[in-house]
């Protein structure tokens, strides 16, 4: 843990900030805000990270996770007064900031709103962003907490808006601290009330990779994307996710009955986005190549696992499901899309058409090699060739034997 020295914040006294640096790709922050009399007025300890999806200059989409941003400042954090409520203000990197506002009622206080700003002009984080500038996402929360209670939420909380996913966990916060002493009475969030959540413990001790229990074939779902009143993308597939995180492997079948689809269609790119209660987004990005074929170019995923951890992976350099424009791609046999060493997708009963859909129906399909009838001809041809070879050998043997007998008779 790295602790920064006490330093003054205008109108708020002193701030003690500790930044925990570790293997977790997120902010682990602890803030103890004091008033002019050096009494604690606001206490907070929490972890968070952000995932932003943005459009690139070549009209494709990328996803970036914003985690460790180096030097952090807290200018603008205040205890609150008669005019303004308490506020936590965090700044990190060039043009990145996060603000949490609090309000007070007769017997409660509220986490009123959260604001996150990010800078697509930062070439380190967004080197190829189409639009440059600072964008802000505001979320109204209105989480009410009894006065003089410490709010706790170990469970993962996720906010998603405008292609930004915010993740929070291991949250402890108390605004309007009474008599400078943080309360020992805890008010739990709803998720912590309904389940026992153990704090996340990260260790560097190596552990063997567990082998996931094989799962049955997933049910195939049909997904579509509309452009106005017309269907512009069709996909039918059973999806099975293979995830390895912290040396623990798991297999997850996607249930199409609880999965929703959105997306977009453009002349040279198309996006199918799937989401559910556990999957924040699973993106399939298609592109056109050589003006006459399409293929799966990119897969991005952000989801949380059963242990509350967040799993995020992106790869925009894939080449799967290649077929001519104006047709669909079909593969009934099991296929594997290898997104990374830690994430693969098994597909079953796959058919997809991301471009040139007419009347909401699939066009003629180009089959994968595994489905092609030619595969059945190979063993047949081998069998015929072997049979022919046996016949030739047998005939040659019989002819040789007859000649041998004839020779003996002449003598």
């Amino acid at each position: 843990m790295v602790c920064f020295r006490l330093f003054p914040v205008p109108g708020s006294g002193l701030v003690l900030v500790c930044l925990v640096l570790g293997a977790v790709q997120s902010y682990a922050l602890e803030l103890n805000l004091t008033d002019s009399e050096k009494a604690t007025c606001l206490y907070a300890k929490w972890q968070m990270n952000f995932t932003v999806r943005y459009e690139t200059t070549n009209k494709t989409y990328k996803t970036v996770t914003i985690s460790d941003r180096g030097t952090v400042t807290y200018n603008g954090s205040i205890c609150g007064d008669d005019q303004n409520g308490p506020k936590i203000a965090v700044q990190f990197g060039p043009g990145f900031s996060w603000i949490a506002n609090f309000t007070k009622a007769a017997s409660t206080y509220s986490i009123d709103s959260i604001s996150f700003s990010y800078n697509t002009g930062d070439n380190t984080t967004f080197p190829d962003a189409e639009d440059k500038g600072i964008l802000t996402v505001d979320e109204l929360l209105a989480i009410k907490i009894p006065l003089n209670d410490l709010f706790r939420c170990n469970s993962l909380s996720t906010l998603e808006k405008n292609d930004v996913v915010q993740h929070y966990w291991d949250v402890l916060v108390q605004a309007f601290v009474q008599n400078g002493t943080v309360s020992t009475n805890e008010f739990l969030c709803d998720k912590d009330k309904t389940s026992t959540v153990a704090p996340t413990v990260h260790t560097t001790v190596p552990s063997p990779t567990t082998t996931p229990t094989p799962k049955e074939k997933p049910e195939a779902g049909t997904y579509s994307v509309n452009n106005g009143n017309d269907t512009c993308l069709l996909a039918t597939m059973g999806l099975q996710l293979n995830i390895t995180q912290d040396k623990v492997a798991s297999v997850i079948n996607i249930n199409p009955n609880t999965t929703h689809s959105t997306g977009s269609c453009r002349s040279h790119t198309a996006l199918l986005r799937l989401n559910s209660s556990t999957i924040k987004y699973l993106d399939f990005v298609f592109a056109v190549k050589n003006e006459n074929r399409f293929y799966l170019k990119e897969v991005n995923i952000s989801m949380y696992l059963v242990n509350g951890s967040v799993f995020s992976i992106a790869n925009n350099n894939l080449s799967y499901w290649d077929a001519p424009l104006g047709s669909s791609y079909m593969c009934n046999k099991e296929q594997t899309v290898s997104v990374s060493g830690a994430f693969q997708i098994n597909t079953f009963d796959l058919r997809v058409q991301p471009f040139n859909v007419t009347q909401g129906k699939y066009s003629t399909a180009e089959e994968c090699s595994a489905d092609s009838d030619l595969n059945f001809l190979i063993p047949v041809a081998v069998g015929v060739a072997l049979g022919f070879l046996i016949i030739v050998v047998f005939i040659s043997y019989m002819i040789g034997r007859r000649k041998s007998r004839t020779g003996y008779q002449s003598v």
Side-chain angles (χ1 to χ4, degrees), residues 258-290:
T258 58
T259 303
H260 307 283
S261 62
T262 58
S264 61
C265 300
R266 297 189 178 184
S267 58
H268 286 76
T269 60
L271 164 68
L272 172 64
R273 165 170 286 192
L274 305 181
N275 60 77
S276 65
S277 59
T278 56
I279 299 174
K280 301 315 298 176
Y281 58 82
L282 172 56
D283 290 349
F284 297 90
V285 181
F286 301 87
V288 173
K289 66 178 180 180
N290 302 326

Side-chain angles (χ1 to χ4, degrees), residues 113-171:
S113 63
I114 286 177
S115 175
F116 170 59
S117 297
Y118 59 99
N119 182 16
T120 56
D122 176 20
N123 290 326
T124 301
T125 309
F126 304 96
D128 51 357
E130 172 71 12
D131 299 317
K132 300 289 187 177
I134 296 178
L135 304 175
T136 301
V137 176
D138 296 311
E139 293 280 0
L140 298 176
L141 301 180
I143 300 174
K144 292 185 178 181
I145 306 155
L147 277 176
N148 205 31
D149 274 12
L150 177 69
F151 176 74
R152 175 187 290 275
C153 195
N154 288 334
S155 299
L156 178 71
S157 298
T158 303
L159 304 175
E160 183 174 7
K161 186 177 182 181
N162 298 344
D163 286 333
V164 176
V165 181
Q166 305 177 53
H167 301 292
Y168 302 93
W169 67 99
D170 292 345
V171 176

